[in-house]
């Protein structure tokens, strides 16, 4: 029965992807991409990958739609390449490339072990160690969190640095084209009485939910990445309703930029602290008297660092994009 | 759990599922954006409510029950608000609703049974 | 019974997908995405019970919140683009 | 401390406990920290007031919801039967209905109740009128009869 549901969802995914290719209106593409995100999250849930599904729920279906839309408002809504004869629009080339790559990938799957096969490398390499020993070595219910934050602490550190770099990249690229003169923003939605009141009720709940996800990553799906996004989305909602000027009063841009760096610093410091105590970088066993306690503390602070950086970078990106968009959108 | 709650839960789930499908069929069949919106709100309100209450009746722990209640409250708070914002935006951007003349009716579906029963 | 409800929701999702593709106005598409989001909330909740692991409800909660923020964000986007010459071609602009 | 801050604090604590369901000292400390942080941000955002914490409604709201549920079921049956009609014949209508002054909160409850019942959607709310799009003209007459407005008014005072 379950595989029947899998097939339905997968075929809807393919249909959506085909629709995305066909549609020329970039706004419709964004909407379909949002649906694609929703579908993949459902599929991840069915495949029992609930941490991935959680991330997809927060990032793929929610925030990325918003960010793509703000980008669209800077670039325009329709694909122009096809109409312009002078452009380098060569669909045949891209199509050939994609077809060849796809064919190679399908050919490659011939050598892959069957899904869920017991002798597949993924079941015999490091995973048994994670699954069997996580309970005694780290002692938290969610193995995904222990893999992410402890066994693979290096990788996650890299990811946080990537996110931090992305934030800096956006600032460097867009800030340079925007003058720092204050922009008068019409908070057009503020007089929208229903939206105003309902959002006022929701914002504190979104914030506390974000923090709940942050601190319960060890017990269920969630953790710093998802929590950061959820927490930041409350600020997005606030900025969209009450205007950027008001939002900037609530969160000082300089603080947010400092916090983005602080998150990475916190993560790194945990690693360095382990070194000072005589262990390897990010070896949490050296953080406390006994190993399990050290692991708990290490994971808690590392996840906090991730959450702070992700939330700050998201806020930086959204605010910078919106400032830019506002100046462009200002009637001449 | 008693048999009564189990049966009640099943009934709610099936009825909710039927309402879901109805809402989407309306979303396809109705002639313009504003009428489609009414079809969508069928699924947003009663169908969601029925399915979530149906699940609540089978909740294994009080935490699951509590979370389902919170989800229901969120949906009931946000879906009419989002719907209203959408309708307002559509109307203000100049999208004209399809309206019949005096006393007339819109014959929206000239081909009987198209997409219907 | 969970399976029956899950399949009903899937059928509803497929129909909403058709509406998202067909449009014709952009508001139809937003509506379709909104409906699709609500359906995903239901599907994940049901599937959680189907597989006997209802702790997935956190994911459902995120959707219930994110769906709202996304719709508001989309509408906000159009407030900007109306003044931005690229007003949409499918709806008549306000006179 | 304002009464609204108190009620929000209570709400946040309940929300945290309902979600968490873990009774460990560390989680309690983190929860207390989270509640304080959210209260701080919320007060900076100025979202703690009688609009976001409508305490004056709590007494009468259950009765209102029970009545709304009945309305919801009735209008659902109507819309669903329209959807499955073999031959679609619709009489949609867009009407502005006058109403007397309501508080902002009252307007929200009124407008959202109208949107929540299938077949009617509020498209605009102003100081003394409400614009409604209805799937069928008869729903407009129902709203004009003022039964819902009277109930909201009772709730609002």
């Amino acid at each position: 029965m379950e595989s029947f549901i899998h097939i339905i969802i997968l075929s809807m995914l393919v249909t959506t992807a085909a629709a995305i290719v066909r549609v020329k209106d970039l706004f419709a593409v964004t909407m379909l991409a949002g649906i694609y995100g929703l579908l993949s999250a459902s599929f991840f849930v069915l495949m029992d990958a609930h941490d991935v599904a959680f991330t997809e729920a927060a990032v793929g279906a929610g925030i990325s739609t918003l960010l793509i839309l703000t980008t669209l408002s800077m670039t325009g809504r329709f694909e122009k390449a096809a109409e312009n004869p002078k452009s380098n629009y060569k669909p045949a080339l891209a199509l050939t490339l994609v077809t060849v790559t796809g064919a190679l990938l399908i050919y490659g799957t011939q050598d892959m072990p069957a899904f869920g096969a017991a002798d597949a490398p993924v079941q015999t390499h490091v995973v048994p160690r994670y699954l069997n020993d996580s309970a005694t070595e780290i002692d938290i219910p969610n193995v995904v969190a222990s893999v992410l934050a402890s066994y693979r602490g290096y990788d996650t550190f890299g990811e946080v640095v990537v996110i931090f770099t992305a934030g800096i990249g956006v600032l460097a690229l867009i800030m340079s084209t925007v003058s720092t003169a204050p922009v008068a923003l019409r908070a057009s939605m503020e007089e929208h009485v229903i939206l105003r009141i309902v959002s006022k009720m929701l914002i504190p709940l979104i914030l506390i939910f974000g923090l709940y996800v942050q601190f319960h990553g060890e017990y269920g799906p969630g953790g710093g990445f998802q929590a950061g996004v959820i927490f930041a989305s409350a600020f997005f909602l606030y900025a969209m309703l009450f205007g950027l000027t008001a939002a900037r009063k609530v969160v000082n841009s300089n603080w947010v930029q400092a916090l983005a760096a602080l998150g990475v610093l916190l993560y790194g410091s945990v690693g360095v602290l382990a070194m000072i105590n005589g262990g390897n970088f990010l070896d949490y066993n050296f953080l406390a008297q006994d190993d399990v306690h050290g692991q708990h503390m290490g994971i808690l602070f590392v996840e906090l660092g991730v959450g702070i950086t992700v939330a700050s970078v998201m806020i930086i990106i959204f605010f910078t994009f919106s400032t830019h968009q506002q100046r462009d959108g200002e009637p001449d | 759990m008693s048999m009564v709650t189990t049966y009640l839960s099943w009934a709610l789930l099936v009825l909710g599922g039927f309402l879901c499908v109805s809402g989407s069929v309306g979303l396809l069949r109705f002639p313009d954006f504003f009428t489609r919106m009414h079809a969508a709100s069928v699924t947003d309100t009663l169908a969601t409510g029925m399915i979530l209450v149906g699940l609540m009746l089978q909740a294994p722990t009080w935490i699951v029950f509590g979370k389902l209640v919170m989800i229901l409250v969120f949906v009931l708070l946000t879906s009419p608000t989002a719907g209203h914002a959408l309708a307002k935006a559509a109307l203000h951007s100049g999208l004209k609703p399809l309206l019949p003349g005096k006393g007339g009716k819109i014959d929206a579906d000239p081909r009987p049974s198209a997409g219907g029963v | 019974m969970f399976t029956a409800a899950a399949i009903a929701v899937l059928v509803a999702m497929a129909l909403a997908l058709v509406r998202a593709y067909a449009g014709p106005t952009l508001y139809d598409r937003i509506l379709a995405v909104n409906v699709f989001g609500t359906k995903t909330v239901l599907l994940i909740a049901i599937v959680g019970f189907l597989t006997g692991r209802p702790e997935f409800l956190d994911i459902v909660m995120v959707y219930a919140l994110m769906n709202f923020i996304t719709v508001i964000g989309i509408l906000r986007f159009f407030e900007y683009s109306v003044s931005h010459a690229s007003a949409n071609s499918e709806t008549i602009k306000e006179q | 401390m304002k009464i609204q801050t108190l009620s929000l604090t209570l709400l946040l604590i309940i929300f945290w406990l309902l979600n968490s369901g873990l009774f460990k000292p560390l989680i309690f400390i983190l929860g207390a920290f989270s509640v304080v942080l959210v209260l701080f941000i919320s007060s900076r955002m100025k979202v703690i007031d009688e609009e976001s914490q409508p305490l004056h409604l709590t007494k009468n709201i259950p009765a209102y919801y029970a009545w709304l549920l009945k309305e919801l079921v009735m209008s659902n049956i109507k819309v669903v039967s329209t959807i499955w009609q073999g031959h679609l014949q619709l009489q949609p209508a867009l009407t502005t209905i006058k109403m007397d002054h309501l508080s902002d909160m009252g307007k929200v409850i009124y407008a959202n109740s109208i949107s929540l019942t299938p077949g009617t959607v509020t498209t605009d709310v102003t100081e003394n009128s409400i614009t409604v799009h209805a799937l069928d003209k008869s729903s407009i007459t129902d709203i004009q009869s003022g039964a819902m407005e009277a109930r909201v008014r009772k709730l609002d005072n």
Side-chain angles (χ1 to χ4, degrees), chain C residues 10-79:
Chain C
L10 278 170
V11 170
M13 280 168 111
L15 295 174
L17 188 60
V18 174
R19 180 48 75 202
Y21 178 68
T25 72
L26 51 97
Y27 294 101
D28 287 297
R29 296 188 208 272
I30 304 173
L31 184 65
V33 171
N34 193 17
V35 169
F36 209 91
T38 321
K39 293 289 141 34
T40 313
V41 165
L42 290 179
L43 183 71
I44 296 180
I46 295 170
V47 164
F49 277 79
L50 196 63
T51 52
R53 300 175 62 178
E55 63 264 36
F56 293 176
L57 291 169
D58 281 348
I59 304 175
V60 181
M61 191 97 79
V62 173
Y63 267 133
L65 295 171
M66 280 295 172
N67 208 11
F68 177 68
I69 298 179
T70 316
V71 170
I72 304 303
I74 295 168
L75 294 175
R76 185 78 197 179
F77 163 72
F78 282 108
E79 290 207 338

Side-chain angles (χ1 to χ4, degrees), chain D residues 92-112:
Chain D
L94 182 73
T95 319
T96 304
I97 300 166
K98 288 250 170 297
M99 65 170 185
D100 296 330
H101 176 80
L102 275 176
S103 70
D104 278 359
M105 193 66 216
K107 278 183 214 156
V108 172
I109 299 177
Y110 190 34
N112 266 2

Side-chain angles (χ1 to χ4, degrees), chain B residues 3-117:
Chain B
M3 283 313 267
V4 181
T5 40
T6 315
Y7 283 129
L8 191 62
S9 151
W10 286 357
L12 283 171
L13 283 174
V14 169
L15 211 57
F18 168 72
L19 284 179
C20 257
V21 176
S22 306
S24 287
V25 168
L27 193 67
L28 276 190
R29 279 191 79 194
F30 282 175
D32 79 327
F33 165 74
F34 292 96
T35 45
R36 283 174 202 143
M37 190 143 207
H38 298 305
S41 74
V42 172
T43 59
D44 274 356
T45 54
L46 205 59
T48 310
M50 279 186 170
I51 290 183
L52 289 182
V53 172
L55 293 179
M56 274 176 217
L57 291 177
Q58 306 213 21
T61 59
W62 64 268
I63 292 249
V64 171
F65 184 83
K67 284 190 185 184
L68 285 169
V69 172
M70 283 190 284
I71 293 165
L72 184 60
V73 170
F74 277 142
V75 170
L76 290 185
L77 195 64
T78 55
S79 85
T81 312
H84 158 71
L86 198 55
K88 184 175 174 172
L91 204 65
H92 282 241
S93 78
L95 190 68
K96 298 271 183 296
L98 209 57
L99 295 174
K102 278 221 159 71
K105 285 186 172 187
I106 294 176
D107 203 10
D109 193 20
R111 295 151 297 147
S113 88
V117 201

